[in-house]
Amino acid sequence: MIRFLDMRDKLKNGDYPALCVFGSDAWVKRKAVSNVFERFNVTDDGFSVDYLDAPTVSDIKLACSTPSMFCDKKLVVCENFVFPEGGKAQDIKRQLADFLRNADGSFCLVFVTDTDKNFDFDGIEKINCNRLDKDSVSKWIISYCKRQQVTVDKLCAEKLAVYCLNDMARVSVETQKLLDYGEFTVEAVESLVHKDAEYVVYDLSGCIADKNVARAIELYRGLIARGEENRALFSLLYNFYRRVYYVKTSAYSTEETASYLGVKAGAVGFAKETAKKYKPMQLKKALEYFEQADARLRSFLDENEVMNMLIMQLISL
C-alpha cells in the first residue's frame, strides 16, 4: 500500500497496471488521480482517458484494450465499481487478476472508491487517500511551496493546517492565496486565513479548560462582535463538549469516532486534546450546565448573560 504523500516517488519507480485510489478525503483522491495523469504525461483530452461509471468487467477490458490516440499510455478511471456479494466477488477478482497478469503496459486502470475492500487481487496497488493528519498536511504545504520556490517553516505550515482542520480542499486554496499574497509567515496566516468555526470553538474551549478567564471572555466577545449569534455559538460549543465527553468515555479510533459523530477527523483530534484536561465526571457536569443554559435561552433570558454565566461555570469545573 502506498501513502498519498509518497505516491509521486513510487509511481516514478514503478509501472503499475492498476491502482485502487481509496479513502475518505475527496480532494486527496482527485489529486491522486491527477498525479497518475502527470506521471504518464496524459492529458484529459477525451482521447487518452476513459471514465467509466459502475462498469462491468467487460466494460473495463474493452476500455483498457482500446489504445490511446495521442499518448503512449491509456488511462481508464473507474468509479462506483461494485463487487457482488459472497463467492461471486472472488470470481470477479480472479477475472481482473487474470486480465492484469497479461497487461502489456499500454494502459493503467484506476479504481476510485471509498474503501479498499475486495481490491486485494494480483496486479493492483492501493493508494491510501484517507484524510491526512496535521504532520502530513504540513509536509504537503512545505513541499508544494518549495515547488513554487517559496520556503515555509514548519510552524507556519502547522498553523495553516490547524486553522483549516486538515481539510485539504481548504488547505490548498489558502496555501495558494498566501503564495499569491507574497507573504507566507505566521503573521500572514493569522491575518489572512479565516479560521474554521470548529477551530474557533476549540480555541475558546482551550481557554476555558486552562481556566484563562480573561482570554475566554475576550474570545467570546470577539466572536459576538464579528457577527456570530449567541445561539449558534452555544450550539457549536455544546456539540464540541459533547464530542469531548464521547472521546473521553469511549475507546474508538479517530476515524470511527469521526464517522459516528459525522465530523472531520481533525475535529476529533481537537476534542481528544481537550479531553486530556478533564475527568469524565467533570465533562458530565459540563453537559448539565449546557442543559441549564439551554433552558434559560428558551426562556428568552438575556443571551449574553446566559453565555457569560455558562463560560464561568465551565471554567469553574
Side-chain angles (χ1 to χ4, degrees):
M1 185 180 297
I2 300 173
R3 293 171 62 248
F4 167 72
L5 291 178
D6 299 327
M7 74 172 295
R8 283 174 175 270
D9 291 335
K10 294 291 185 180
L11 289 178
K12 284 180 183 177
N13 300 321
D15 192 359
Y16 305 96
L19 298 167
C20 172
V21 173
F22 77 94
S24 57
D25 193 309
W27 185 95
V28 176
K29 287 191 287 188
R30 288 196 300 272
K31 187 61 178 177
V33 173
S34 176
N35 286 345
V36 177
F37 285 19
E38 183 180 320
R39 161 64 180 85
F40 296 116
N41 296 315
V42 172
T43 56
D44 190 2
D45 54 10
F47 299 100
S48 304
V49 183
D50 279 357
Y51 290 95
L52 305 180
D53 185 28
T56 65
V57 174
S58 296
D59 294 333
I60 291 171
K61 289 181 178 179
L62 178 61
C64 291
S65 301
T66 304
S68 168
M69 295 183 66
F70 302 110
C71 299
D72 294 334
K73 183 81 70 173
K74 172 71 174 289
L75 293 189
V76 178
V77 180
C78 301
E79 296 190 9
N80 302 313
F81 182 78
V82 179
F83 285 91
E85 297 294 331
K88 292 183 178 179
Q90 294 299 322
D91 181 56
I92 294 297
K93 287 193 280 187
R94 279 194 294 270
Q95 291 183 47
L96 289 170
D98 289 344
F99 175 66
L100 295 174
R101 194 172 296 116
N102 297 317
D104 59 4
S106 62
F107 67 84
C108 181
L109 172 62
V110 182
F111 292 96
V112 182
T113 178
D114 293 333
T115 174
D116 62 341
K117 183 180 178 182
N118 286 317
F119 289 95
D120 53 359
F121 45 86
D122 291 341
I124 191 166
E125 182 64 65
K126 301 177 184 179
I127 309 293
N128 188 332
C129 294
N130 282 320
R131 184 174 292 277
L132 305 175
D133 57 25
K134 182 183 71 175
D135 290 340
S136 297
V137 173
S138 300
K139 182 179 177 181
W140 181 90
I141 294 169
I142 292 170
S143 177
Y144 180 84
C145 292
K146 185 177 181 181
R147 292 198 297 273
Q148 309 302 315
Q149 299 182 334
V150 175
T151 300
V152 175
D153 64 49
K154 185 177 180 183
L155 179 61
C156 184
E158 286 181 349
K159 184 173 285 290
L160 176 56
V162 167
Y163 275 19
C164 296
L165 286 183
N166 300 335
D167 183 341
M168 281 300 301
R170 279 205 61 208
V171 168
S172 62
V173 171
E174 298 293 352
T175 298
Q176 190 59 55
K177 182 172 76 176
L178 288 166
L179 288 172
D180 293 341
Y181 178 70
E183 182 181 345
F184 209 128
T185 61
V186 170
E187 292 75 16
V189 172
E190 291 177 345
S191 62
L192 296 175
V193 177
H194 177 69
K195 297 178 183 178
D196 191 292
E198 289 284 357
Y199 178 79
V200 174
V201 171
Y202 170 71
D203 206 7
L204 176 58
S205 66
C207 293
I208 292 172
D210 293 336
K211 303 188 183 303
N212 188 337
V213 179
R215 178 59 178 158
I217 295 299
E218 179 187 355
L219 276 174
Y220 162 67
R221 290 175 178 171
L223 290 168
I224 296 301
R226 82 176 196 185
E228 293 286 350
E229 295 184 357
N230 273 303
R231 290 180 181 274
L233 186 57
F234 171 84
S235 296
L236 285 171
L237 200 57
Y238 167 68
N239 286 332
F240 181 79
Y241 269 87
R242 184 172 64 90
R243 196 177 305 145
V244 171
Y245 179 74
Y246 182 82
V247 301
K248 185 71 174 183
T249 57
S250 68
Y252 293 107
S253 69
T254 296
E255 289 72 21
E256 290 171 329
T257 302
S259 177
Y260 175 76
L261 296 176
V263 298
K264 305 169 186 174
V268 175
F270 287 147
K272 287 186 175 181
E273 287 298 314
T274 303
K276 295 175 183 177
K277 302 175 182 180
Y278 291 100
K279 296 178 181 179
M281 289 305 297
Q282 289 177 305
L283 291 170
K284 186 176 181 181
K285 187 66 177 177
L287 295 182
E288 292 177 6
Y289 288 147
F290 276 103
E291 290 180 7
Q292 295 166 9
D294 184 48
R296 295 189 186 101
L297 290 172
R298 291 176 185 274
S299 299
F300 299 102
L301 297 181
D302 185 275
E303 294 181 352
N304 282 320
E305 290 185 8
V306 172
M307 289 299 297
N308 275 288
M309 179 182 293
L310 173 62
I311 290 172
M312 295 306 296
Q313 287 176 318
L314 294 173
I315 289 174
S316 70
L317 288 171

